[in-house]
Amino acid sequence: MSRKRSCSMQILIAVFISCSLSIGFAANSTDILYEIYPFIRVYKNGTIYRFIGTQRVPPSFDPTTGVISKDIQISPKFSIPARVYLPKNTAHKLPLLVYFHGGGFFTESAFSPTYHKHLNSLVAKANVIAVSVEYRLAPEYPLPIAYEDSWLALNWVVSHFKGNRHEEWLNNYADFGRVYLGGDSAGANIVHNMAMRVGLESPEYPVKLSGIFLNCPYFTGKNPIGNENGNAYGRSSVANIWLHAYPNSSGLDDPLVNPGMDLKLSKLGCERVLIFVAGKDFLRDRGLFYKEALSKSGWSGNANVVENKGEDHVFNLVHPTSPKAIRMLKTLASFLNHAKF
């Protein structure tokens, strides 16, 4: 083994041992208030440790896709930044996507390497302009703060519909007759709730949503359904996310997390819904139930479910170059360009 490789290996081993000791210490500590793995650990003294989603990357020109990005400040008062993505082909006005990242309401970022890469790929494939929203996270900012940040961000984006507001890319390139919302996991939950607010404000809301897509949406409920039966650990984990992210909610049947309990579900403010579920995902049947609930509510739009069998939760973000992830990207691009499938 070369000296250079040996040094690299020693560094990796040292990092592994350090992380292992840290995790081992916390696992035996009586100072932990609660832990929701793989998202967050909260100590009684207020210290917060996030297992994932803490890395950030700057906006850039992506040579692989030709997409350029920049960061903007939607609300300096409430510290709501966002990242805007523009594809290389801007000869005509483009569909507009407002994206909300996942992370269980506790972690991740619009600026993380995972979402930066995902948005670069999606913007290039679909040839859309996208705004990826950085909402504030629990537990420092418990729900409904993430919903309020997201609503403020969406309204700021929509305020450009006359082409005379602050952000030139939105003024010059966005087609406000083709506006979409999209997100994964907790972000998909936010997407649904933003579309509900748009619907409840119609017809006064300035634009109409052409559609929304939800990737492995985070929903739950008091009573188990489908694959949740007999999986006490899975149900407990999913429930703890909601109960700790939104301690003042009405519980697991709050319409914000269980759309089937929403008496106003028929007001969902879009024409088309695309739902991705993964065969091995504990949230799979909640995604299927969401489509069923929409149909039963009297909502007049069209909803479709695409299942990726044998895959786990948001697999396309973890393995973006896998054949199924590439196929999923093509499906999303078609949806954002109003193709029927």
Side-chain angles (χ1 to χ4, degrees):
M1 182 182 294
S2 69
R3 181 176 180 181
K4 182 177 181 180
R5 182 175 297 181
S6 177
C7 290
S8 299
M9 184 62 70
Q10 290 174 12
I11 292 171
L12 287 173
I13 291 171
V15 170
F16 176 78
I17 292 173
S18 175
C19 292
S20 298
L21 289 173
S22 174
I23 293 172
F25 165 77
N28 295 321
S29 175
T30 59
D31 296 330
I32 298 174
L33 182 62
Y34 66 87
E35 178 175 300
I36 305 173
Y37 192 79
F39 300 115
I40 196 168
R41 177 185 293 144
V42 179
Y43 293 88
K44 292 177 183 178
N45 67 1
T47 300
I48 295 169
Y49 177 76
R50 289 180 166 88
F51 293 98
I52 58 171
T54 58
Q55 187 179 356
R56 304 290 184 266
V57 294
S60 62
F61 168 75
D62 182 50
T64 302
T65 61
V67 173
I68 188 171
S69 56
K70 66 178 178 180
D71 290 347
I72 57 173
Q73 194 73 18
I74 288 174
S75 173
K77 179 179 179 181
F78 297 107
S79 185
I80 306 173
R83 182 161 293 176
V84 188
Y85 294 81
L86 192 69
K88 59 183 178 181
N89 182 6
T90 57
H92 306 284
K93 291 274 188 174
L94 306 172
L96 169 62
L97 169 65
V98 183
Y99 193 89
F100 302 94
H101 68 81
F105 302 109
F106 289 107
T107 187
E108 273 297 351
S109 166
F111 309 139
S112 76
T114 297
Y115 287 101
H116 186 64
K117 184 174 183 178
H118 179 55
L119 268 295
N120 275 327
S121 298
L122 181 54
V123 164
K125 189 68 178 178
N127 203 50
V128 300
I129 183 171
V131 180
S132 185
V133 177
E134 179 80 342
Y135 54 86
R136 287 173 290 175
L137 301 174
E140 299 97 323
Y141 303 98
L143 293 173
I145 289 176
Y147 294 131
E148 296 306 321
D149 286 356
S150 299
W151 182 241
L152 191 154
L154 177 59
N155 284 320
W156 180 88
V157 171
V158 167
S159 73
H160 290 75
F161 77 104
K162 291 184 179 180
N164 60 355
R165 293 286 288 170
H166 307 295
E167 176 45 52
E168 291 185 0
W169 284 6
L170 293 176
N171 290 334
N172 296 336
Y173 303 115
D175 180 354
F176 285 90
R178 294 183 290 169
V179 179
Y180 293 85
L181 308 183
D184 62 279
S185 197
N189 174 291
I190 292 174
V191 165
H192 162 75
N193 285 295
M194 294 305 99
M196 284 299 303
R197 292 185 71 162
V198 169
L200 291 170
E201 290 203 2
S202 295
E204 288 79 14
Y205 201 71
V207 303
K208 292 184 178 180
L209 296 179
S210 296
I212 63 175
F213 70 83
L214 298 83
N215 178 17
C216 297
Y218 170 75
F219 297 127
T220 188
K222 184 177 179 180
N223 298 316
I225 63 170
N227 64 344
E228 296 174 354
N229 286 284
N231 191 336
Y233 175 78
R235 279 187 54 75
S236 175
S237 297
V238 169
N240 280 336
I241 291 173
W242 181 252
L243 297 175
H244 286 294
Y246 198 169
N248 292 325
S249 77
S250 60
L252 298 180
D253 277 342
D254 189 314
L256 292 167
V257 75
N258 186 356
M261 301 299 290
D262 193 343
L263 299 178
K264 298 180 180 180
L265 186 58
S266 64
K267 300 293 186 181
L268 187 74
C270 63
E271 301 171 353
R272 303 162 67 229
V273 173
L274 177 60
I275 308 153
F276 292 97
V277 298
K280 294 168 63 178
D281 184 10
F282 181 79
L283 296 175
R284 171 188 177 272
D285 284 6
R286 286 290 168 181
L288 300 177
F289 178 72
Y290 178 64
K291 179 181 183 298
E292 181 182 337
L294 283 175
S295 299
K296 290 181 177 179
S297 73
W299 174 66
S300 60
N302 180 47
N304 285 289
V305 174
V306 175
E307 180 171 0
N308 289 287
K309 295 182 178 180
E311 299 294 346
D312 217 325
H313 190 66
V314 296
F315 77 96
N316 64 306
L317 301 180
V318 181
H319 304 292
T321 60
S322 69
K324 289 182 181 178
I326 292 172
R327 187 160 60 246
M328 183 173 165
L329 188 66
K330 291 179 180 178
T331 301
L332 270 176
S334 296
F335 177 76
L336 295 174
N337 286 279
H338 212 99
K340 295 182 178 181
F341 53 92

